[in-house]
Amino acid sequence: TGSSLGLLAELAKERVGDETLLYFEDQRWTGTQLIERGARLSGGLRAAGLLPGDRVVVCMANCPEVGITYTAVWRAGAVVTPVLFLLSEPELRHVLTDSGARFVVTTPDFLPKVLGAAIGVPTVAAVVVAGDAPGVSGGTDLAGAGRGAVPPVVDFAELEAVEAAGLVDTSSTEMAALLYTGGTTGRSKGVVLTHDALSSAAWAANVSHEEETPEDGSRLAGLSPLPLSHVYGLAINVMGLHSTRPGTSVLMRWFDPGEFLTLVARHRVRISALVPMMIRMLLDTPVESHDTSSLRRVVSGSAALPRETALEWQRRLPHIALAEGYGCTEAAAIVSSAPRRAIRIGSVGKPVGGVEVRIERRDGTEAVVGEDGEICLRGPSLMSGYWNAPEETAKVLRGGWLHTGDVGKCDEDGYLYVVDRIKDVIIRNGFNVYPRDVEDVLLTHPDVVACGVVGRPDATRGEEIVAFVQLAPGATVTPAELIAFSRERISAVKYPREVLVVDTIPITSVLKTDRKALRAMLDR
Ligand code: ATP
């Protein structure tokens, strides 16, 4: 920490120079090429009016231009606000308005949505489009006249043609990213992360990855299918800047299991970070028939890894450590990760360097080993607060500790376990039931491919436990059989009293089980 991300990128350029840093869809880029494109784009954005502290919303699927934009924005002392391209127009509009965005950078496929969201948002000076879009050149107004305050559309390549710009002197304690949370538990809020917060999280993650550096001195190859526009992918991307021997990054536009396996073999990939649903998709293919001998570690994060999935991976791919990690946007994505040689299934590993974990009881005192409580965090990677929401900030940042809203516990060796989200806990007859415990049991049934458990308000019991299940094609198991199956395996307090079969379990834009949508399905 202590250096702005713009400066760190400049230093990385000196270290990696003309070596290949990035592979993307049969193209490759050296460190110098990437950083220089960033410097030119920075010049173009500044000529178009970007000032230090301004927010730049980035709405693109993975491609090199995402990283180039981050570099350009940080060089200018400005702030990146990446969004998932899957956001709906109203959600995007909320981000543009709330952040007071100056520019939006996108690709032709999302241009109509971006323009629709930006109409009438007074702070937006222009929408920048990377790639060929019909009618985009020389700052033409693509959306045409008569629709009110439609921002002008400018070409990314044209901005890059402007002269490269130097670094704006930026303190590492200033805001580098404004990231909007998924909103799975309420209205999407902006999380303010400084240059220091992002680089300390990235540095901590890097320490564990350096263990995987090849013994023969060749560069560590990492495969990235996670969106660079999500804090998890963003932190991993920033990580490359911190390595003493930066690796090569193989970037995927989006995840596809077959392509993932092909790229692992082609680039002799050693590490990758995925989410549980991607791991499930990999296991649903004949993974054993691919050459995955180069892979050492796959990290699973962002949602609970079902026990069944972890066990199946160990059985079928014993040479690849599947290490679960835990994080949240408010702590720059990386809180804990499993040590490769001592993985405990069900645990999310130990806190990464600099992060302190405290398990807190409801009365604010610290829980003992093995006792459930709220996971609280302290350390240099924490957010400064929610954007323009001091009351929301005060609710979660208390006494220097971030209250995550997750229930967890620690064991005697300091391993952390994430039990569930506090807001999802079902209280039936006064007993706390963690949906994840019930889901883990249902997933051991061979006919259940996905499930989600929620509470249905109940006049006598407070809440009743309802399980939504998605069955394997052709499966014939009945709800009554699944209830009986669960009843044999978990306590009477916890087994689901109602099982509802659905075609698919709804998921959020970052591939997490969408329990909010499931609760809404109960009301219908
Ligand atoms: P919102 O905060 O608006 O509800 P979100 O949950 O998508 O949206 P993120 O910051 O992306 O916000 O996700 C962080 C949360 O993801 C954690 O607080 C935790 O609930 C969950 N999570 C992350 N990793 C794990 C894990 N390994 N096991 C269980 N849960 C996890």
Side-chain angles (χ1 to χ4, degrees):
T1 62
S3 306
S4 73
L5 296 166
L7 179 61
L8 289 169
E10 194 66 23
L11 298 174
K13 183 177 118 184
E14 284 167 24
R15 266 203 316 266
V16 292
D18 293 327
E19 292 176 55
T20 300
L21 200 64
L22 180 70
Y23 290 92
F24 179 72
E25 296 183 349
D26 301 325
Q27 289 175 289
R28 60 170 73 191
W29 279 268
T30 67
T32 305
Q33 285 172 327
L34 288 170
I35 311 272
E36 282 180 356
R37 284 187 68 188
R40 287 201 302 275
L41 181 68
S42 196
L45 286 170
R46 278 185 250 176
L50 181 71
L51 294 172
D54 280 350
R55 274 78 58 206
V56 176
V57 170
V58 182
C59 180
M60 296 193 255
N62 282 351
C63 59
E65 283 74 17
V66 178
I68 291 165
T69 304
Y70 293 171
T71 306
V73 171
W74 287 329
R75 276 184 91 86
V79 177
V80 299
T81 296
V83 294
L84 287 167
F85 59 82
L86 294 168
L87 284 198
S88 68
E89 195 175 297
E91 286 168 329
L92 185 56
R93 192 175 175 78
H94 168 66
V95 172
L96 295 181
T97 314
D98 191 70
S99 67
R102 175 75 62 203
F103 290 96
V104 190
V105 182
T106 190
T107 43
D109 30 358
F110 308 121
L111 186 57
K113 177 166 79 182
V114 168
L115 284 177
I119 288 178
V121 179
T123 55
V124 177
V127 174
V128 181
V129 185
D132 296 329
V136 181
S137 72
T140 16
D141 184 343
L142 182 86
R147 288 185 64 195
V150 182
V153 176
V154 296
D155 189 354
F156 193 97
E158 249 166 65
L159 289 183
E160 272 193 279
V162 177
E163 216 171 304
L167 279 175
V168 169
D169 192 21
T170 308
S171 158
S172 62
T173 58
E174 281 174 39
M175 168 160 64
L178 177 61
L179 299 168
Y180 282 79
T181 59
T184 26
T185 53
R187 189 152 178 72
S188 177
K189 297 183 286 279
V191 171
V192 174
L193 294 173
T194 62
H195 291 258
D196 275 342
L198 271 176
S199 49
S200 63
W203 173 82
N206 211 31
V207 170
S208 58
H209 282 164
E210 279 183 0
E211 281 179 52
E212 313 298 350
T213 302
E215 298 77 23
D216 65 1
S218 62
R219 298 262 297 278
L220 177 74
L223 179 53
S224 292
L226 292 177
L228 295 177
S229 55
H230 185 258
V231 65
Y232 190 16
L234 173 66
I236 285 170
N237 178 48
V238 173
M239 207 173 76
L241 304 180
H242 289 257
S243 181
T244 44
R245 198 144 53 102
T248 40
S249 177
V250 184
L251 188 64
M252 292 178 79
R253 192 177 289 273
W254 38 62
F255 181 75
D256 171 83
E259 197 194 333
F260 179 91
L261 293 163
T262 305
L263 290 172
V264 165
R266 183 181 308 154
H267 294 283
R268 304 298 299 156
V269 168
R270 288 175 80 89
I271 57 170
S272 187
L274 304 173
V275 303
M277 182 156 281
M278 295 173 179
I279 290 167
R280 186 65 258 159
M281 286 163 78
L282 277 173
L283 290 173
D284 287 342
T285 68
V287 270
E288 294 87 344
S289 61
H290 288 79
D291 176 9
T292 54
S293 58
S294 60
L295 255 186
R296 303 284 295 266
R297 185 213 296 261
V298 166
V299 179
S300 169
S302 109
L305 176 69
R307 193 181 171 75
E308 262 318 279
T309 310
L311 290 169
E312 183 178 340
W313 182 286
Q314 280 194 344
R315 205 167 54 239
R316 291 176 57 195
L317 298 165
H319 61 289
I320 311 168
L322 179 58
E324 189 168 3
Y326 163 69
C328 58
T329 313
E330 289 83 345
I334 299 157
V335 170
S336 74
S337 92
R340 180 157 68 89
R341 286 172 194 84
I343 289 172
R344 295 189 181 172
I345 289 187
S347 162
V348 294
K350 295 186 179 188
V352 294
V355 175
E356 281 176 82
V357 171
R358 173 187 150 99
I359 307 293
E360 204 173 279
R361 298 193 181 111
R362 223 178 278 172
D363 65 6
T365 56
E366 188 168 359
V368 295
V369 166
E371 181 186 348
D372 290 350
E374 182 168 11
I375 302 176
C376 297
L377 307 170
R378 193 159 69 174
S381 60
L382 292 198
M383 67 166 180
S384 321
Y386 292 117
W387 177 248
N388 285 340
E391 282 166 23
E392 297 287 335
T393 304
K395 276 189 218 158
V396 299
L397 272 178
R398 303 195 306 269
W401 290 92
L402 171 79
H403 293 66
T404 60
D406 291 320
V407 189
K409 62 185 173 195
C410 286
D411 69 15
E412 60 284 359
D413 300 317
Y415 281 76
L416 177 66
Y417 296 75
V418 180
V419 177
D420 222 317
R421 283 181 196 253
I422 292 176
K423 285 183 178 152
D424 288 340
V425 173
I426 302 167
I427 305 178
R428 179 180 187 275
N429 278 342
F431 287 101
N432 280 359
V433 177
Y434 298 120
R436 191 181 161 188
D437 289 346
V438 187
E439 290 164 5
D440 267 353
V441 165
L442 284 164
L443 286 170
T444 63
H445 192 287
D447 287 347
V448 176
V449 291
C451 69
V453 169
V454 293
R456 182 202 285 283
D458 183 282
T460 49
R461 296 188 183 84
E463 281 180 288
E464 194 47 280
I465 308 160
V466 181
F468 287 87
V469 295
Q470 179 184 331
L471 298 180
T476 53
V477 69
T478 64
E481 282 163 356
L482 285 174
I483 293 172
F485 176 87
S486 311
R487 190 177 188 167
E488 282 164 24
R489 287 163 178 81
I490 33 176
S491 73
V493 175
K494 290 186 185 173
Y495 75 87
R497 301 321 202 255
E498 196 180 339
V499 167
L500 299 167
V501 176
V502 289
D503 291 340
T504 46
I505 294 293
I507 50 170
T508 68
S509 55
V510 291
L511 308 181
K512 303 187 191 196
T513 303
D514 192 346
R515 292 193 184 136
K516 196 161 85 175
L518 289 175
R519 281 190 283 265
M521 283 160 71
L522 284 178
D523 298 335
R524 271 190 243 133

